[in-house]
Amino acid sequence: MVKGLLEELGHRDVIDLGDITTARGAEMLLPLWLRLYAVLGTPNFNIKVVRAVE
């Protein structure tokens, strides 16, 4: 449902990580974000997932 909504809003490459039982993995982005914020001194950055071309 969320993937469909995001695509309707114009997002082209949505990656569905699963239901709430998989949230623990996605939550691990917070420590990475906090470290980058500390090093860069600003929250104005983004993280990008790049898919390998086969």
Side-chain angles (χ1 to χ4, degrees):
M1 178 193 257
V2 174
K3 182 179 179 184
L5 176 61
L6 289 170
E7 289 170 344
E8 285 181 29
L9 291 172
H11 295 275
R12 296 182 315 241
D13 194 16
V14 179
I15 301 172
D16 187 348
L17 298 178
D19 64 6
I20 193 68
T21 62
T22 65
R24 194 158 185 84
E27 288 172 353
M28 295 288 73
L29 280 174
L30 179 60
L32 173 63
W33 187 89
L34 289 171
R35 297 291 276 174
L36 286 169
Y37 188 170
V39 170
L40 299 173
T42 178
N44 297 325
F45 61 86
N46 210 334
I47 299 168
K48 182 176 182 175
V49 174
V50 179
R51 296 180 190 216
V53 178
E54 295 181 17

